[in-house]
Amino acid sequence: MTEENTLDGWLYELCDALGLPRELAEQRNLLLDVARDAAHNVARPAAPLTTFLVGYAAGRADDENAVQRAAQVATERALQRGN
């Protein structure tokens, strides 16, 4: 089993356990990119904290665009730093 298959399986299992639609797992690459950008452009501990806050915002506001907005903020931060 590849790492990608393992990750997909874990995400589907977690979605099921949390009562969330499996379609949320399809945003994994974008969310991983946001975590990477936060880690590289802010500080390493920013990665899990950022993903937590994105998830919280998405759930609180029933907002499907939270991940995209976080990605935009992370990209803007990288541009400011010249990365």
Side-chain angles (χ1 to χ4, degrees), residues 5-72:
N5 288 341
T6 300
L7 182 56
D8 286 341
W10 163 249
L11 291 174
Y12 292 139
E13 183 180 341
L14 189 56
C15 283
D16 292 346
L18 296 174
L20 299 170
R22 285 184 165 206
E23 293 79 32
L24 290 174
E26 295 170 6
Q27 292 197 36
R28 75 174 165 91
N29 289 337
L30 183 57
L31 192 55
L32 288 172
D33 290 346
V34 169
R36 178 202 62 222
D37 292 343
H40 289 250
N41 297 311
V42 181
R44 290 185 80 143
L49 298 171
T50 299
T51 56
F52 169 77
L53 291 174
V54 167
Y56 189 85
R60 183 172 179 220
D62 195 24
D63 185 353
E64 296 177 3
N65 296 316
V67 177
Q68 287 82 3
R69 281 199 318 278
Q72 181 180 359

Side-chain angles (χ1 to χ4, degrees), residues 53 61 76 80:
L53 291 174
E76 290 170 1
Q80 289 173 352

